[in-house]
Amino acid sequence: MLLCIDTGNTNTIFSIWNGTKFVSHWRIATDHRRTADEYFVWLETLITLRHFEMDITACIISSTVPRVVFNLRVLCNRYFNTRPLVVGRPDCLLPAYPRVDAGVTVGPDRIVNTWAAHARHGGELIVVDFGTATTFDVSDEDGAYVGGVIAPGVNLSLEALHAGAASLPHVDVTKPDQVIGGNTIACIQSGIFWGYIGLVEGVIEKIRAERDRPMKVIATGGLAPLFEQGTDVFDSVEDDLTVQGLRLIYEFNKEAGNV
């Protein structure tokens, strides 16, 4: 079985592919201090609860937090006796390489997302990821990442608002019943929800105008289903985009004889 590890700034997702489908997804808070042994004890417990064998024979990692990669590599080497592929490292082949400014390092999650979206939908695409940051990733006709947009994430904006304005409470992200709020909480919820809808629609419109062609829009990330309720700009909402991309990149390397 293939273990796909997707490390973001907030959470790390462990997903197991059995050759036909993903049989489990588990989430843990991202913490660079967590050791390989701690990862293994946690993962072994969860696998045991699912009542299947921990027959992991291959691993692939995507991480936007470089400091956690060492212990994840140790986890794969020590407990699964396998050398993991790490997206963004020279020894991990990509189906299409980014075409960006010289010397620029592209976040591995953005590469993985654009390739997964391209593999599913083809053509030129915009991938909107509602993560710690809200990112817009643009892929070319061949699936190569060619650039994008980074904006503050929804929860990050809420935290900044709460921290910077002592009288404003911390609120949950939800779709308000109406645009004009009748109290402070409703006002904040409306500002966040409809503000981000405006951001998303506006940025997508600008990208399409700059590329001067129709482009499908794929949304991913935990808050994507919520924001889908306020706009028809998304052609598809896919919560498993990153792990599917990791699986595809691993299979590409396997077919190339790189693993």
Side-chain angles (χ1 to χ4, degrees):
M1 293 191 289
L2 171 66
L3 175 62
C4 298
I5 305 174
D6 169 33
T7 297
N9 290 296
T10 304
N11 293 309
T12 298
I13 298 172
F14 289 72
S15 301
I16 295 179
W17 173 261
N18 69 359
T20 304
K21 63 181 180 179
F22 280 102
V23 294
S24 285
H25 300 280
W26 295 296
R27 186 182 300 264
I28 192 171
T30 298
D31 184 350
H32 70 272
R33 297 168 299 179
R34 188 170 285 114
T35 67
D37 303 325
E38 289 175 303
Y39 280 122
F40 179 74
V41 170
W42 171 79
L43 190 59
E44 182 185 38
T45 301
L46 291 171
I47 289 176
T48 301
L49 289 172
R50 288 296 306 273
H51 303 292
F52 59 77
E53 296 293 326
M54 191 160 54
D55 185 24
I56 294 171
T57 57
C59 303
I60 184 168
I61 301 167
S62 168
S63 177
T64 59
V65 185
R67 295 177 70 184
V68 307
V69 174
F70 174 78
N71 282 319
L72 290 173
R73 290 172 68 104
V74 173
L75 168 71
C76 299
N77 287 322
R78 179 181 297 166
Y79 290 106
F80 305 128
N81 195 31
T82 181
R83 177 183 64 88
L85 285 175
V86 180
V87 178
R89 298 288 177 88
D91 60 346
C92 180
L93 304 178
L94 298 175
Y97 284 84
R99 292 193 284 273
V100 293
D101 295 344
V104 170
T105 300
V106 179
D109 57 326
R110 308 182 81 180
I111 296 171
V112 171
N113 284 348
T114 51
W115 180 251
H118 173 78
R120 283 183 171 180
H121 301 279
E124 298 186 48
L125 299 164
I126 303 168
V127 179
V128 183
D129 187 354
F130 293 93
T132 304
T134 300
T135 58
F136 301 76
D137 301 321
V138 180
S139 69
D140 215 336
E141 186 69 32
D142 61 351
Y145 172 88
V146 295
V149 175
I150 300 175
V154 177
N155 287 315
L156 195 62
S157 294
L158 276 171
E159 290 170 10
L161 186 64
H162 176 64
S167 63
L168 295 182
H170 197 290
V171 303
D172 293 329
V173 184
T174 187
K175 181 184 178 183
D177 294 330
Q178 56 191 39
V179 176
I180 301 173
N183 55 70
T184 302
I185 290 177
C187 288
I188 296 173
Q189 289 174 332
S190 184
I192 290 294
F193 184 84
W194 293 114
Y196 270 85
I197 290 294
L199 168 71
V200 168
E201 291 179 341
V203 170
I204 289 171
E205 180 183 0
K206 292 292 186 182
I207 291 173
R208 283 173 166 165
E210 190 166 279
R211 299 285 288 181
D212 193 25
R213 65 203 73 182
M215 304 173 74
K216 286 185 178 180
V217 180
I218 313 302
T220 190
L223 291 175
L226 171 65
F227 285 98
E228 183 187 23
Q229 299 174 29
T231 181
D232 59 1
V233 73
F234 303 136
D235 293 283
S236 180
V237 174
E238 302 173 10
D239 60 356
D240 65 342
L241 198 64
T242 306
V243 293
Q244 289 289 355
L246 285 171
R247 172 185 67 83
L248 291 168
I249 290 173
Y250 175 81
E251 291 176 354
F252 177 79
N253 278 265
K254 185 176 181 180
E255 291 171 3
N258 193 44
V259 292

